[in-house]
Amino acid sequence: MNVLLIGSGGREHALAWRLAQSPRLTKLYAAPGNPGIAEHAELVALDAADHRGVIDFCHRHSIGFVVIGPEAPLVDGLADNIRMMGIPVFGPNKAAAQLEGSKGFTKDLCARAGIPTAGYARVVSRDGAQAALGDFGLPVVVKADGLAAGKGVTVATTRAEAEAALDDLFAVRGAEAVIEEFLEGEEASLFVLTDGEAILPFGSAQDHKRVGEGDTGPNTGGMGAYSPARVLTPELERQAIDEIVLPTVAAMKAAGMPFSGVLFAGLMLTADGPRLIEYNARFGDPECQVLMMRLEDDVLDLMLDTAEGRLADRAPLRFSPDTALTVVMAAKGYPGTPESGGAIAGIDAAEALGARIFQAGTRLDDGGKLVASGGRVLAVTATGGDIASAQADAYRAVDAIDFPSGFCRRDIGWREIARTH
């Protein structure tokens, strides 16, 4: 089977690596891909926003399956148009992708279905937001309604900070926002595959959103992650599936927009049980990297069964009992304006130590040398029998990489390590 993978980040490199291991794969194409993905797939210069161009490529190259990695093409309806041509797709249709594309849509769905989440107000104007703020205590959470690459959230500890966040959001014409009650607890990520009816749990992870050590500084797309997140105990996972995930899947089906793909639930583990923070309609980045390191099943088989409605017939997934941990190496300036063009060397030396380096924001310069071309550049990923050994191996690999214009956090996994010592 010929497969087309859409995307260019570390998540897509991890997916390409696993897809390339499937005995069902004939040829893997990636659009646009990156130099790391090129080790597993033929790169093609396609723009995911050009739906007709993507479909034409699929027909010309006998593509039997399309995997959409990032959220933007899903929210834009690429999956709908490919399916209309009779080609199966891993990823939800446009209507179902609203679970990520609109935080207000998701909060309203939770309210209708009785799904436990934070109290909220949807606001469509600066004046309305000002009035709604008075209904919330401090801290308070301010979120852009649409896609924001993991950076559209402000946890405001003062009224002035909340108002400044709203000023920033409503400086954009047509902006909408959600104001939320602040939830106390620890965050964890739960993943499930669903074909619109059946679900198959796909493991847990915990990521580190803040740019600075000790979880300080502005939010990023993610500076590292580890899996499994043992703070999400089997009992809490079952509760989250029963009270949050299954009612969501049922509500989406009842609304005529069944969700097919991977559903990523960001959870807050409060004293009263799990609460939904938000949904993503795709694998997280860098959570995908640690999940793919632990997965022992054929990912192409899994994705096909998801796309074609066969999940009810599948046995529970097989994951390694080891812990996987990934450290993001970012370009200086991230999450603001990252420094581009910085030289990168030492990836082979790092992988010789047993780690796997997933490339994200990279390109080859005119001389064929690997350089940085984005904010998050590499995801240095290792496994170990426990969190401490996985962390030690990941940082050993980080130290083997020569990336002078890059930086990373040195404390990925700190919560889990604190719990185990």
Side-chain angles (χ1 to χ4, degrees), residues 186-191 201 203-206 226 228-242 244 267-274 416 419-420:
E186 191 166 340
E187 292 187 39
S189 301
L190 174 63
F191 298 82
S204 64
Q206 188 170 65
Y226 66 91
R230 290 184 173 83
V231 67
L232 186 65
T233 63
E235 294 76 19
L236 287 174
E237 179 175 323
R238 186 72 253 168
Q239 186 179 356
I241 287 172
D242 289 345
I244 297 173
L267 305 174
M268 186 68 77
L269 306 182
T270 75
D272 298 318
E416 185 73 5
R419 272 191 288 271
T420 57

Side-chain angles (χ1 to χ4, degrees), residues 263-285:
L263 192 56
F264 165 4
L267 305 174
M268 186 68 77
L269 306 182
T270 75
D272 298 318
R275 298 288 182 267
L276 179 70
I277 302 171
E278 63 184 14
Y279 276 123
N280 291 318
R282 37 71 193 182
F283 284 111
D285 188 345

Side-chain angles (χ1 to χ4, degrees), residues 391-409:
Q391 185 196 60
D393 286 352
Y395 281 111
R396 193 174 299 115
V398 165
D399 293 337
I401 293 172
D402 183 15
F403 180 25
S405 63
F407 74 97
C408 68
R409 282 181 54 169

Side-chain angles (χ1 to χ4, degrees), residues 9 17 19 22 121 146 152 169 192 202 228 246 297 307 322 337 345:
W17 170 65
L19 286 165
S22 173
L169 289 177
V192 302
F202 200 93
L246 284 172
D297 283 301
D322 286 352
T337 303

